[in-house]
Amino acid sequence: MMNKDFRIVETRFHAVEMNKYVVIAVASGMDTSTLDVQGYLDHRSLPTEVSIYKGPELAAKYMYEEVESLEEIHVIITLPEYYEQSKLFRMELSDEAGHKAVWACKTREITEASKRYHTLLECRFEGDECVLLGTCSLPQPIRVALLDEDGGEIKARIAWQPRAEVRCYYPEYGYLAYSDYKIRFCHKERPCISIRLQADNGMLIERISLQEKQKYQELVEQASVSLWGKLKYYSYRIVKALSNDSVTVWKERIANRINEHKAIALSETKQYNQWLKNREPSDGKIEEQSKATMDVYPVFGVQELELFRKQSYKNWKVGCENCDYVVIVPKDAIVVPNALYECAKYINENPDAEVIYGDSDVILTQEQYMQPNFKPDYNPDLLRSYNYIGEACVISKHLYDSGLLSDSESIYDFYLKCTEQPVVWGHIPRVLFHMPKDTGITEEVKHVQYQWEEEPLISILIPNKDHIEELDTCIRSLEKSEYRNYEIIIIENNSQYPETFEYYKRIEDARIHVIYYEGGFNYSRINNFGVEYAQGEYILLLNNDTELIEPNSLWELLSHAMRKEVGIVGAKLYFPDDTIQHAGVIIGYGGVAGHAFLGAKKDDAGYQNRIQCIQNYSAVTAACMMIPKKVYEQVGGLSEEYQVAFNDIDFCLRVREAGYLVVYNPYAEFYHYESKSRGCDDTTEKMVRYQQEIQLFTRRWNQILRQGDPYYNVNLSLEKKDFSIKE
């Protein structure tokens, strides 16, 4: 039954967390401060949250409704994974005064709603230009394109810009990095256009008639996705109701934010140019380089004479005939005077090098540069993810003539072909090329996936001492994994509470096994003990204070671990507040090793897209690390000399030493409540042990600490973890 003062305004799925169903209502006769709400599927109660919204925005939203109360109830109900198998969804509300309301619908109505995405559009015209402000609830970063009536792309300026006016409809949006967009384009002689919004798991197409010119356009009907009619005029009414002063305030705030970013960028550019100037070779040094003695004087073939006139190294010629190496560089680039000298010097030290690249930046003016790109040494998985090398390189003549480089293909196509060949790559960590703005590093990141017919068994090893609440969260999260061929081995070590062992008895079954380790805490020894019981071809070391987020994460790890050249695969880990806990490890951070991008926001791209790219690192954390069992056994497992710290870093370096790649895969995502179950190194004994393990690590891996991590860059700071330039 339904109370006469209670009315459902809208039902929809949560715009960000797609497993949650939202019921929006107004209840003028109920005391919302004492409201009790519960959602049900058939007779099963569901996790239910309630939020109450009020304020002037709602007055605008309901200005044409007969609503006494300006309080809006948002009931958010978490649905189980297989909710479609139930028949009836029900919601019950009551307050302390005894008012009650019940609302119900068939589950298939909810299923239909799950197929809808929400997108809000506002259209305005400024002379010959049209401005579109949009919001999309695709649950991933989206790619936006503007299409003409024939489906061809229209040239447009696209930017991400927060829209405060739509937050009263979707308060859960917050200000997601990729939810609000602004498109500006010339609309002359275009009666209709379409917007294409595309994510990895879906696409929307909006068709818009531009003939209905008005400053604030009503929401446009979707071409492929339905939208509630009330939502359509609500958006229109709120925009009309808001004063011009409010709009001006929003514009000023946005402009101020943009100016802040410009000021920061300008300051960084100024600092970088000073840094660059301090490292430029003097005229005397250039003269010295021109007379330098070398064992071999390689001949470089170049295409553009003007780019190389000032080179300190003189053994070069125009054209590709009768040369040893061919220099590929865009005609609008600037080649630094010592570029060929540095390449010749590198070739003398590394005569087998076939593709050589240097660091680069982007031309701001003829003498000012910005956006330095300090690259890692050859990183095959990063290169497959996107072209981190750019458009400039030096290629050995025999490789140039091999047919891999085609006139009809891009230099990136050539690089990708080379990743499949036994090509010797070389990297010079110096800025050799200043690149024009429209060339250099592509921003498009590819999600590289490997397909296998086999589905081998994964043995998931989880050490545990008491802390059954964290362990249960970890195990339950694994139940939502789309990859099902796994076993869980809990390595019990010295638990003290009876309820821990009672918990073990409850959960043990054909898939979950408990083995008992006896001895003091030694993370390496505990895991080595667990591997002896593993039946799988692949081992997943997993902390008990982790929680799987993405259902495809196990397959993302496994599909790379199955590559014969890969020895270890690590995941992207978050703190509970959705900031980065692990996105790869840099050797040398803080004098030993540390996590890259620690504390960055979840959706940040990071320096040169490196948070979001599958790539190679020297090490990843063992909090979530997959290894082929044969590789684990080949290198002798984790070194038991490291009881707690650096055992995973040492292990990764030994696996790399054996000739395997270490891969970081950001598409495998977990929460990590770091050291929650182990505790902190806050006693004298623990601190002494920690210092001993540092000394052990620095003695063993002194060479890489001295020379620098090959997957980092010697020009970047080891004090900050955001890839800042070394001061």
Side-chain angles (χ1 to χ4, degrees):
M1 65 179 184
M2 186 70 70
N3 186 294
K4 65 177 181 179
D5 296 319
F6 176 87
R7 182 163 62 84
I8 299 294
V9 175
E10 180 186 350
T11 60
R12 58 175 174 80
F13 268 76
H14 197 279
V16 179
E17 299 178 71
M18 302 303 288
N19 66 325
K20 294 185 177 181
Y21 194 60
V22 181
V23 180
I24 301 173
V26 288
S28 57
M30 301 186 83
D31 180 4
T32 56
S33 64
T34 63
L35 199 62
D36 181 39
V37 186
Q38 182 62 57
Y40 298 89
L41 270 181
D42 293 336
H43 300 291
R44 176 184 175 184
S45 62
L46 301 175
T48 305
E49 309 166 48
V50 179
S51 297
I52 308 298
Y53 295 94
K54 60 182 71 176
E57 295 88 353
L58 291 182
K61 182 174 178 179
Y62 291 104
M63 64 188 301
Y64 294 101
E65 297 276 343
E66 293 183 3
V67 178
E68 295 179 11
S69 172
L70 291 182
E71 292 186 327
E72 192 176 65
I73 305 167
H74 285 223
V75 181
I76 303 171
I77 301 168
T78 302
L79 299 175
E81 186 175 359
Y82 303 108
Y83 72 89
E84 300 97 331
Q85 298 175 5
S86 302
K87 294 182 179 181
L88 186 68
F89 174 82
R90 189 174 84 261
M91 183 182 74
E92 297 182 359
L93 301 90
S94 61
D95 62 12
E96 287 185 356
H99 298 101
K100 293 184 178 181
V102 178
W103 179 80
C105 70
K106 294 181 180 179
T107 308
R108 67 169 177 266
E109 295 178 28
I110 298 178
T111 305
E112 286 300 314
S114 70
K115 300 174 183 178
R116 304 186 188 112
Y117 290 109
H118 318 300
T119 175
L120 302 170
L121 280 174
E122 175 194 336
C123 177
R124 69 171 181 258
F125 297 86
E126 299 174 358
D128 290 340
E129 286 196 319
C130 177
V131 178
L132 297 173
L133 300 177
T135 300
C136 181
S137 70
L138 281 167
Q140 296 177 348
I142 59 173
R143 299 177 291 279
V144 181
L146 205 62
L147 309 178
D148 59 26
E149 290 187 278
D150 297 324
E153 288 199 14
I154 299 172
K155 186 176 181 180
R157 299 193 296 278
I158 301 173
W160 303 105
Q161 176 175 304
R163 299 178 65 202
E165 72 270 21
V166 301
R167 289 310 180 276
C168 64
Y169 305 112
Y170 297 102
E172 65 265 31
Y173 267 132
Y175 287 97
L176 299 178
Y178 297 97
S179 63
D180 299 342
Y181 57 89
K182 178 180 180 180
I183 305 174
R184 183 182 291 273
F185 66 100
C186 179
H187 68 82
K188 289 182 67 175
E189 299 180 1
R190 296 188 189 279
C192 295
I193 55 99
S194 297
I195 299 177
R196 182 180 67 209
L197 308 173
Q198 190 168 6
D200 291 343
N201 67 344
M203 181 173 69
L204 308 178
I205 296 179
E206 294 277 346
R207 186 175 184 275
I208 303 172
S209 172
L210 298 180
Q211 294 175 336
E212 302 175 8
K213 296 184 178 182
Q214 52 185 327
K215 188 173 182 180
Y216 294 106
Q217 182 177 325
E218 290 186 23
L219 279 173
V220 181
E221 292 295 331
Q222 299 184 44
S224 59
V225 181
S226 62
L227 192 65
W228 293 278
K230 287 184 179 179
L231 196 55
K232 179 180 176 182
Y233 82 79
Y234 285 163
S235 183
Y236 171 74
R237 294 300 183 190
I238 191 169
V239 173
K240 295 292 284 183
L242 290 168
S243 67
N244 290 332
D245 290 341
S246 298
V247 174
T248 301
V249 169
W250 293 337
K251 287 181 177 178
E252 288 178 355
R253 287 177 180 174
I254 293 169
N256 290 339
R257 190 67 180 270
I258 291 171
N259 289 334
E260 287 174 12
H261 285 295
K262 284 182 178 178
I264 293 170
L266 185 62
S267 174
E268 291 177 347
T269 298
K270 186 177 180 180
Q271 291 175 11
Y272 168 64
N273 279 275
Q274 186 60 51
W275 181 94
L276 195 63
K277 185 177 181 180
N278 293 341
R279 287 158 179 77
E280 287 178 351
S282 64
D283 292 342
K285 191 68 174 178
I286 292 293
E287 180 66 21
E288 182 182 319
Q289 290 176 358
S290 67
K291 300 175 181 179
T293 301
M294 298 183 180
D295 294 333
V296 177
Y297 294 89
V299 179
F300 295 98
V302 304
Q303 303 295 326
E304 299 289 336
L305 174 65
E306 293 302 320
L307 295 182
F308 295 89
R309 285 189 183 277
K310 297 181 180 180
Q311 287 298 301
S312 62
Y313 183 83
K314 304 302 182 182
N315 203 18
W316 57 270
K317 61 187 292 292
V318 178
C320 302
E321 298 300 324
N322 302 316
C323 66
D324 302 307
Y325 289 84
V326 178
V327 182
I328 305 294
V329 61
K331 64 180 180 179
D332 295 327
I334 298 173
V335 183
V336 302
N338 60 324
L340 294 187
Y341 170 81
E342 294 293 344
C343 291
K345 180 182 174 183
Y346 185 89
I347 291 166
N348 272 266
E349 297 169 353
N350 304 273
D352 295 331
E354 296 173 289
V355 179
I356 303 169
Y357 61 94
D359 296 339
S360 61
D361 55 27
V362 174
I363 300 170
L364 180 60
T365 66
Q366 195 64 18
E367 295 182 354
Q368 292 289 307
Y369 311 103
M370 61 182 183
Q371 298 173 12
N373 181 19
F374 294 114
K375 307 165 190 175
D377 289 353
Y378 176 53
N379 193 321
D381 283 292
L382 181 61
L383 190 53
R384 293 181 184 118
S385 295
Y386 87 117
N387 180 13
Y388 78 86
I389 293 176
E391 301 297 310
C393 66
V394 176
I395 307 172
S396 67
K397 185 61 163 59
H398 75 86
L399 185 61
Y400 182 84
D401 292 335
S402 68
L404 289 177
L405 184 61
S406 169
D407 292 337
S408 62
E409 296 179 319
S410 69
I411 190 69
Y412 185 40
D413 293 321
F414 167 73
Y415 295 154
L416 293 177
K417 291 177 185 177
C418 288
T419 65
E420 305 302 321
Q421 305 291 329
V423 170
V424 180
W425 299 73
H427 168 229
I428 300 170
R430 292 177 179 269
V431 176
L432 303 183
F433 306 100
H434 304 302
M435 306 298 288
K437 292 181 182 179
D438 57 348
T439 62
I441 306 304
T442 176
E443 294 183 357
E444 181 184 358
V445 173
K446 294 186 289 298
H447 180 185
V448 180
Q449 296 177 294
Y450 293 82
Q451 302 299 325
W452 306 91
E453 292 184 2
E454 303 92 335
E455 293 187 357
L457 178 66
I458 302 171
S459 294
I460 303 175
L461 306 186
I462 308 176
N464 187 68
K465 178 183 178 181
D466 295 314
H467 291 278
I468 57 176
E469 185 175 326
E470 288 81 18
L471 176 62
D472 189 62
T473 297
C474 177
I475 292 174
R476 287 184 180 277
S477 73
L478 292 169
E479 292 174 1
K480 66 183 180 184
S481 171
E482 293 177 356
Y483 189 85
R484 305 303 299 167
N485 194 21
Y486 65 85
E487 64 172 356
I488 297 174
I489 300 175
I490 299 169
I491 311 170
E492 154 58 32
N493 60 101
N494 303 307
S495 291
Q496 299 175 348
Y497 302 116
E499 51 265 34
T500 301
F501 300 96
E502 293 172 5
Y503 173 77
Y504 291 155
K505 291 179 181 179
R506 290 200 306 272
I507 64 169
E508 275 197 283
D509 57 21
R511 170 172 280 170
I512 302 175
H513 319 290
V514 181
I515 60 175
Y516 294 83
Y517 165 84
E518 296 179 358
F521 183 84
N522 182 310
Y523 181 84
S524 301
R525 189 176 299 146
I526 290 169
N527 279 286
N528 291 342
F529 174 76
V531 169
E532 296 176 10
Y533 292 83
Q535 300 298 311
E537 294 179 54
Y538 294 87
I539 304 296
L540 178 63
L541 304 184
L542 190 64
N543 278 22
N544 62 349
D545 56 353
T546 57
E547 180 179 351
L548 182 143
I549 299 171
E550 285 297 322
N552 203 38
S553 292
L554 292 187
W555 176 249
E556 286 287 353
L557 295 170
L558 179 63
S559 62
H560 285 272
M562 292 174 71
R563 296 161 50 197
K564 66 180 185 300
E565 71 272 22
V566 172
I568 291 173
V569 187
K572 186 180 183 183
L573 306 180
Y574 304 106
F575 289 115
D577 63 356
D578 283 332
T579 57
I580 300 293
Q581 192 271 337
H582 172 265
V585 171
I586 303 296
I587 308 302
Y589 268 175
V592 186
H595 290 192
F597 304 108
L598 189 70
K601 293 180 181 179
K602 180 177 183 178
D603 295 321
D604 282 356
Y607 183 77
Q608 301 297 342
N609 296 310
R610 290 193 64 171
I611 293 178
Q612 307 293 7
C613 283
I614 297 172
Q615 63 193 280
N616 306 114
Y617 271 108
S618 289
V620 293
T621 179
C624 180
M625 173 193 288
M626 186 172 287
I627 316 105
K629 187 178 181 181
K630 63 180 181 181
V631 173
Y632 193 99
E633 294 173 339
Q634 177 185 339
V635 301
L638 296 172
S639 172
E640 296 179 8
E641 293 178 280
Y642 300 92
Q643 295 180 41
V644 178
F646 308 115
N647 41 57
D648 47 359
I649 314 302
D650 171 84
F651 178 70
C652 288
L653 293 178
R654 287 189 288 115
V655 168
R656 285 193 62 241
E657 203 172 47
Y660 297 99
L661 293 172
V662 174
V663 175
Y664 157 72
N665 187 344
Y667 300 98
E669 298 178 89
F670 292 74
Y671 283 115
H672 182 203
Y673 311 105
E674 185 180 24
S675 299
K676 186 173 180 180
S677 57
R678 180 176 65 83
C680 301
D681 294 327
D682 53 2
T683 66
T684 301
E685 181 183 355
K686 288 180 179 180
M687 287 188 285
V688 169
R689 185 262 308 149
Y690 182 72
Q691 290 300 320
Q692 290 173 341
E693 291 177 343
I694 288 177
Q695 293 173 11
L696 177 63
F697 183 89
T698 53
R699 283 198 306 270
R700 175 159 193 174
W701 301 108
N702 178 60
Q703 184 175 352
I704 188 172
L705 288 168
R706 190 177 65 254
Q707 294 178 348
D709 190 327
Y711 296 114
Y712 197 48
N713 188 295
V714 294
N715 295 301
L716 298 175
S717 172
L718 292 174
E719 303 303 320
K720 301 177 181 178
K721 298 186 178 182
D722 58 357
F723 285 55
S724 301
I725 298 175
K726 183 189 296 182
E727 297 178 358

